[in-house]
Amino acid sequence: MDVMPLLMLVAVSAAVAGVARRGPVPAPLLLVAVGLAASYVPGTPDYTLDPEIVLPLLLPPLLHTAALDSSYLDLRANLRP
């Protein structure tokens, strides 16, 4: 497996996330839009993720970041609805 296209993919996604922080568009929305646009470019390699890697390696940092960004007051305000 060639590592260079994968490194370029990670670098481009980091750059898009950095640009999204400075603009009014949320980062996930911009990342999805750029990913969809990149999927239609000819020559873009196909990547598949092993489910046994996603659960222990990728999901915990995402949940941890979401937990740090959450607010107890906001959770309490939305508890009743």
Side-chain angles (χ1 to χ4, degrees):
M1 179 176 169
D2 194 15
V3 178
M4 189 55 101
L6 184 60
L7 289 177
M8 290 297 296
L9 182 67
V10 171
V12 168
S13 64
V16 168
V19 168
R21 287 186 182 185
R22 297 173 192 243
V25 180
L29 183 64
L30 192 59
L31 285 168
V32 168
V34 170
L36 281 172
S39 69
Y40 289 110
V41 173
T44 303
D46 293 335
Y47 290 105
T48 57
L49 291 175
D50 187 17
E52 294 177 2
I53 293 175
V54 172
L55 186 62
L57 295 179
L58 297 178
L59 193 59
L62 292 174
L63 291 175
H64 180 71
T65 303
L68 290 178
D69 291 339
S70 65
S71 167
Y72 176 72
L73 297 175
D74 289 340
L75 288 173
R76 190 169 177 193
N78 292 325
L79 184 63
R80 189 168 297 239

